[in-house]
Amino acid sequence: MEKVIKIGLLGSGTVGSGVIKVLEMNRRQITERVGAQLQIKTVLVRNLKKPRPYLRGIHLTDRFEDILNDPEIDIIVELIGGLHPAHEYMLQALEAGKSVVTANKDVVAQCGQDLFEAAEKNRVDFAFEASVGGGIPIITPLKQCLTANRITEIMGIVNGTTNYMLTKMTECGSSYADVLKEAQEKGYAEANPSADVDGLDAARKAAILSSIAFNTRVRLDNVSVEGITKITPEDIAYAKDLDCVIKLLAVGKDSPETGVDVRVHPVLLPKSHPLASVNGVYNAIFVRGNAVGEAMFYGQGAGSLPTASAVVSDIIDVARDMVNGSFGKVRCTCYEQKKICPLSKTVSSYYIRLLVDDEPGVLGMIATTFGSAGVSLKSVIQTRQNVKDHAEIVAVTHPVEHARIQQAVRELQELPVVDEMRNLLRVENDRG
Ligand code: NAP
Ligand code: HSE
């Protein structure tokens, strides 16, 4: 008789229902690949009255204890989201000797360490492939397929909502407010879009990716975060003039001199960069390793079936461990203590857009101010505005420390000829 591995599913929303569908759709292959049958025994939900026709024959409950205390259930799959009670449920499951699979970036980014410790102590598995990049395999490739490398850089488009919005602004010249409304109507952005547009969703994923890539614990408060709310159609148009596109990137760099630098912010990305052509709701993660060179992982970063693809793969991995009588092949990989590079010491090129008086000597004053702050300019564009006697200046700098550019901006704002500091964005250009 074939062994049956029983699963408790916490949550049956977008991803939970996708997991049920994938397990059903690919049942035969999955059974053969695992060497045992996978069966969802019980599903935890909040509202027992909601119609869920796809749950035929599966026991439904609104009490977590029904799953936790069921000795037949060996794997708990957490898909309710948010920090609480998801964190407590996962911890209790691990302490009860059940392996845990999750897609929850909030918990992994903020409480990953205690979950890893509980898994190890109780000799069970803890897997979280779907917490970054939805259906894109990236956690397992970093932990396994690329583990022969020293990873020096990881850079990703890890938020589909903002990538959709920036793509629409680029393709149609629309305003931020208009594309946000459209993204909400299409169901990409939530009614409260803050976690996406302010960069927090991407920051959680940046913390998870950097912790794994650089083998050191990167906490959420180590990530400097800037969202896309200040991007205007004018910035998008100037980016095009500079042969760039604007993308919200999660960036992690590891340097023996300056430490680990992890941030999320919009950047002007040269059109030649592999990430520049990742459009719409798609995600991609670009990795640089000292043996593999450059590698990029691309696909759907969200959605019911794509995310379920990653969750079910984790379930299969855990089930294979059970069939083989093993656990935790790849344990927590944060075994080094590395210093975190303070934001002031991070180095980037910058794009600065200023509204200035349109009169003789103004460009000279601005160039002198940059020079005295120690900022070297790469290019300057000046366009006449339809505001009388004013011009807009866009300067692009050579790489410079964040503290220096901040000093230059303060000094520029004090010049009587500078009327408005319109935007300051990073430019990503160092591929090599
Ligand atoms: P969702 O559609 O909102 O579904 C959440 C499910 O959890 C619902 O079935 C809900 O029950 C249940 N639930 C919520 N709080 C609960 C509680 N306190 N007790 C019991 N049940 C509770 O969420 P989702 O989009 O599937 O996301 C699930 C997880 O996957 C999140 O961590 C999310 O970040 C992650 N993720 C999602 C995507 C995506 O494309 N959606 C992509 C990558 C990762 P009711 O049905 O009764 O309301
Ligand atoms: N809100 C996320 C996005 C999906 O827009 O990509 C879940 O991680």
Side-chain angles (χ1 to χ4, degrees):
M1 261 254 297
E2 211 161 49
K3 183 177 164 63
V4 179
I5 294 175
K6 295 196 178 164
I7 298 164
L9 187 61
L10 314 185
S12 179
T14 307
V15 185
S17 60
V19 165
I20 294 166
K21 276 182 211 144
V22 172
L23 283 171
E24 190 50 49
M25 190 164 79
N26 298 332
R27 172 161 305 284
R28 196 179 54 78
Q29 299 94 302
I30 290 173
T31 304
E32 279 176 20
R33 285 170 192 165
V34 175
Q37 257 191 60
L38 301 184
Q39 184 197 331
I40 295 186
K41 182 176 178 193
T42 309
V43 176
L44 174 77
V45 291
R46 222 174 355 200
N47 178 1
L48 287 173
K49 294 202 174 108
K50 227 187 240 183
R52 305 176 204 260
Y54 54 89
L55 279 183
R56 280 184 311 272
I58 301 177
H59 175 224
L60 202 59
T61 181
D62 59 359
R63 289 167 25 95
F64 173 60
E65 294 69 28
D66 290 349
I67 292 177
L68 183 69
N69 299 329
D70 184 338
E72 283 194 350
I73 290 179
D74 285 321
I75 304 176
I76 292 193
V77 180
E78 184 280 311
L79 297 170
I80 61 183
L83 265 185
H84 308 292
H87 176 221
E88 293 76 10
Y89 286 176
M90 285 193 264
L91 210 48
Q92 288 176 59
L94 294 166
E95 294 293 357
K98 298 179 196 289
S99 287
V100 169
V101 171
T102 184
N104 191 324
K105 69 225 149 208
D106 307 42
V107 173
V108 177
Q110 277 161 266
C111 325
Q113 190 169 358
D114 62 354
L115 294 170
F116 272 117
E117 285 171 4
E120 200 152 326
K121 188 177 96 197
N122 294 288
R123 304 174 64 81
V124 288
D125 282 321
F126 173 58
F128 52 96
E129 180 61 65
S131 64
V132 180
I136 307 173
I138 183 63
I139 307 286
T140 306
L142 282 175
K143 285 192 166 207
Q144 299 198 37
C145 323
L146 293 172
T147 194
N149 289 260
R150 192 176 94 77
I151 307 286
T152 52
E153 182 180 355
I154 186 148
M155 209 189 271
I157 294 174
V158 289
N159 183 271
T161 306
T162 48
N163 201 42
Y164 172 83
M165 290 172 65
L166 291 172
T167 303
K168 277 282 164 186
M169 286 177 82
T170 304
E171 286 172 354
C172 313
S174 330
S175 70
Y176 171 82
D178 286 347
V179 291
L180 175 58
K181 192 161 165 273
E182 191 187 323
Q184 283 170 325
E185 282 163 4
K186 284 193 165 9
Y188 297 143
E190 297 191 15
N192 176 359
S194 172
D196 291 323
V197 298
D198 293 329
L200 183 60
D201 175 76
R204 290 179 175 127
K205 295 166 181 169
I208 298 171
L209 287 177
S210 302
S211 296
I212 296 168
F214 308 139
N215 302 116
T216 192
R217 174 97 27 223
V218 176
R219 296 193 323 264
L220 191 55
D221 59 8
N222 298 140
V223 184
S224 72
V225 192
E226 212 181 286
I228 64 162
T229 53
K230 63 178 188 179
I231 305 296
T232 66
E234 291 75 24
D235 296 315
I236 300 269
Y238 279 118
K240 274 187 194 162
D241 292 346
L242 293 162
D243 220 17
C244 289
V245 288
I246 298 184
K247 294 286 183 193
L248 182 73
L249 290 191
V251 178
K253 297 188 182 188
D254 181 15
S255 140
E257 293 80 40
T258 51
V260 171
D261 160 19
V262 187
R263 37 198 160 90
V264 167
H265 47 66
V267 294
L268 274 76
L269 194 64
K271 284 185 183 155
S272 56
H273 194 286
L275 287 170
S277 48
V278 175
N279 286 321
V281 291
Y282 276 83
N283 283 17
I285 297 116
F286 172 88
V287 180
R288 193 191 304 280
N290 66 351
V292 75
E294 295 178 347
M296 194 161 99
F297 301 81
Y298 170 86
Q300 296 190 56
S304 182
L305 291 188
T307 310
S309 156
V311 173
V312 174
S313 300
D314 272 349
I315 299 175
I316 291 173
D317 237 19
V318 171
R320 279 172 170 161
D321 268 355
M322 281 172 188
V323 168
N324 295 326
S326 62
F327 77 98
K329 283 191 299 290
V330 187
R331 302 189 185 172
C332 179
T333 49
C334 295
Y335 50 79
E336 279 188 75
Q337 277 235 316
K338 292 187 181 172
K339 67 176 175 190
I340 300 289
C341 179
L343 179 62
S344 58
K345 295 266 178 217
T346 60
V347 174
S348 298
S349 295
Y350 285 88
Y351 152 106
I352 300 138
R353 182 158 69 90
L354 300 164
L355 185 71
V356 299
D357 293 350
D358 192 8
E359 57 188 47
V362 169
L363 212 50
M365 269 187 250
I366 287 167
T368 305
T369 307
F370 274 118
S372 63
V375 178
S376 168
L377 293 181
K378 185 176 172 201
S379 67
V380 178
I381 307 171
Q382 177 173 344
T383 55
R384 181 171 284 279
Q385 282 282 293
N386 49 10
V387 186
K388 192 166 174 284
D389 301 330
H390 284 71
E392 194 163 63
I393 289 183
V394 168
V396 176
T397 74
H398 284 294
V400 57
E401 267 188 10
H402 188 76
R404 271 191 198 279
I405 198 74
Q406 290 296 333
Q407 175 64 23
V409 165
R410 276 194 296 276
E411 289 174 14
L412 284 166
Q413 282 173 316
E414 278 167 18
L415 292 178
V417 294
V418 172
D419 300 296
E420 198 185 331
M421 168 72 210
R422 291 195 149 167
N423 219 339
L424 174 71
L425 298 168
R426 287 177 178 78
V427 181
E428 189 61 53
N429 52 13
D430 55 342
R431 275 186 81 207

